[in-house]
Amino acid sequence: MALGLTSCARKMEHPATGGSPAASNVNGIYVLAVGGTTINGVNYENDSDFKSTLAFYDLATRTVTPDRFSQVNGFPLGFRALDMGLYGSKLYIALAGSQAVAVVDAASARLLAKTATALPDAVKAFTTYAPDPTHICFFDGEVYIGLVNGVIEVMDTSSMKIVRYIGGDVPLLTPIGPVVANGKLYLAGEGNSYPNNLAIIDPHTGSLIRSMSIYLNPESISTDNSGNVFVQTQFDTARLVFDLNTDYQALTPGLTIISGATDQVAYQSSSNSSGNAPVVVSGNTGYYISGNYASSTIAQFNSATLSFNIPGYNTGGVQLGEVTALTVDPITGQLFVGDAKFTNSPNGTVDVFADQQLQYSFPAGTNPIKIVLTKP
């Protein structure tokens, strides 16, 4: 991927390190940032305020273009981008504030299509929420786009057009996902008294295969190469009984792991996870963000044995702020950490670690939300 970087690119040199990671075939890093607006110290969270950006770091030249999309296309990406995925040669970006999905050529950052999300009369939504896209995943040449109203749009990757919808049979409030594992879709829903808040769906027919009850208020969902599904939740309980004055403020976050072999809950327990960045797994090592929003740490676990009594990831003295994105290179084991510093700070960075030592950092915009590694 040869990208011509203009004068708006900033040069960021790699600092000296104590060792060299294994060779990687990654040649660039895209970082999607939500953007943000704070007026007199108050975040008003208006969708049209969150002007999102798409930064690119070129590993060959060690330079970053803070908003590669705008530089190439001559206009902004859109509003309140929440997810991004790479499939083949294209990036797919969920723009919740713009109610659209942008399809971008990964080699050039050129916009190929921008498809508005919709809710046809024939499709039943479980809520009255607008069709804001929040999540992206891929399966068999199709893009599955999770909408906040509980509907899943399906886009064909060749035509870049919506070809069908999944919705109406899976009553989940403010769903998180979907993700694809084991040839099935997994979608988790919020709701303080809702049973069966995780749905397993046939991606071809859209029919519900089964549902199960997990901890309440999922905040992120992800999967690994073994088909296991990881759900971080706001609470470590399956039910809040408000009429009995349950002290929900005393509850802590939870983590649920669903086995890819059995589709049963393999692990469920309290955790110190923040829920900002989904769990990522490389080999037998899983990573998730722990700690409070102003001072995050990276926790580790063994995904094969589901052992959590191993030391946390040592960032070599680097103090992390509010971590909102996490990606791992499965070849080198390098960990890419999107650090927003604090909500709406314009000084978000991506910090790259190898062997628990900082390799390099580069600016990533306001509220970085997703990191995608590109290859030649």
Side-chain angles (χ1 to χ4, degrees):
M1 184 188 299
L3 298 182
L5 300 179
T6 65
S7 59
C8 71
R10 303 182 209 169
K11 183 157 184 160
M12 302 290 292
E13 293 295 336
H14 296 239
T17 64
S20 299
S24 173
N25 60 350
V26 171
N27 70 337
I29 307 162
Y30 274 109
V31 185
L32 183 67
V34 182
T37 295
T38 301
I39 302 174
N40 295 327
V42 178
N43 175 13
Y44 287 91
E45 297 188 355
N46 185 319
D47 283 357
S48 62
D49 288 335
F50 287 82
K51 299 176 179 64
S52 300
T53 58
L54 183 63
F56 182 77
Y57 183 82
D58 189 316
L59 282 167
T61 62
R62 298 181 178 180
T63 53
V64 59
T65 308
D67 191 354
R68 178 67 174 161
F69 181 91
S70 293
Q71 179 200 18
V72 169
N73 295 285
F75 50 83
L77 174 63
F79 299 107
R80 204 164 65 92
L82 295 183
D83 198 12
M84 172 173 66
L86 176 67
Y87 191 84
S89 62
K90 302 169 188 171
L91 291 166
Y92 296 80
I93 302 172
L95 295 165
S98 300
Q99 293 185 3
V101 174
V103 185
V104 176
D105 177 63
S108 65
R110 180 173 59 89
L111 180 67
L112 302 175
K114 197 169 188 178
T115 304
T117 55
L119 183 61
D121 293 337
V123 180
K124 176 186 176 184
F126 183 66
T127 72
T128 58
Y129 295 151
D132 299 347
T134 60
H135 295 87
I136 298 280
C137 66
F138 309 95
F139 183 66
D140 277 358
E142 293 182 317
V143 189
Y144 291 83
I145 305 158
L147 307 182
V148 74
N149 60 10
V151 173
I152 299 172
E153 285 189 328
V154 185
M155 176 187 286
D156 177 73
T157 54
S158 297
S159 67
M160 297 177 287
K161 296 186 180 300
I162 303 300
V163 294
R164 55 194 173 90
Y165 298 84
I166 297 172
D169 298 326
V170 185
L172 294 176
L173 291 170
T174 320
I176 300 294
V179 295
V180 175
N182 317 302
K184 293 166 279 190
L185 298 175
Y186 294 76
L187 188 68
E190 294 186 0
N192 289 338
S193 60
Y194 223 84
N196 301 320
N197 59 337
L198 186 132
I200 304 175
I201 303 166
D202 186 314
H204 299 295
T205 65
S207 60
L208 179 66
I209 298 173
R210 61 166 300 194
S211 58
M212 64 177 68
S213 296
I214 61 171
Y215 287 158
L216 293 180
N217 285 17
E219 295 185 305
S220 72
I221 185 169
S222 57
T223 185
D224 64 11
N225 289 334
S226 299
N228 300 307
V229 177
F230 306 86
V231 187
Q232 294 179 100
T233 54
Q234 182 182 1
F235 301 122
D236 58 348
T237 182
R239 182 175 176 83
L240 295 180
V241 186
F242 289 105
D243 54 343
L244 297 180
N245 291 321
T246 298
D247 185 9
Y248 66 91
Q249 292 182 341
L251 299 170
T252 63
L255 174 65
T256 300
I257 303 176
I258 297 145
S259 167
T262 65
D263 268 345
Q264 300 288 335
V265 173
Y267 175 91
Q268 195 167 45
S269 182
S270 303
S271 73
N272 291 320
S273 60
S274 69
N276 282 339
V279 172
V280 296
V281 178
S282 178
N284 289 332
T285 304
Y287 306 90
Y288 64 95
I289 302 306
S290 180
N292 60 44
Y293 292 110
S295 181
S296 299
T297 59
I298 302 172
Q300 299 182 98
F301 66 95
N302 187 305
S303 62
T305 62
L306 298 182
S307 173
F308 285 77
N309 60 345
I310 59 177
Y313 192 90
N314 181 1
T315 55
V318 176
Q319 179 65 52
L320 300 174
E322 183 178 351
V323 174
T324 50
L326 198 62
T327 296
V328 63
D329 185 335
I331 297 176
T332 66
Q334 286 177 300
L335 202 59
F336 298 78
V337 180
D339 187 353
K341 309 306 180 186
F342 54 87
T343 300
N344 282 341
S345 167
N347 301 316
T349 62
V350 168
D351 304 321
V352 184
F353 296 90
D355 299 323
Q356 305 197 31
Q357 293 293 322
L358 180 68
Q359 302 291 295
Y360 58 95
S361 297
F362 60 88
T366 304
N367 301 327
I369 194 71
K370 198 64 180 275
I371 302 168
V372 168
L373 311 180
T374 64
K375 301 178 181 181

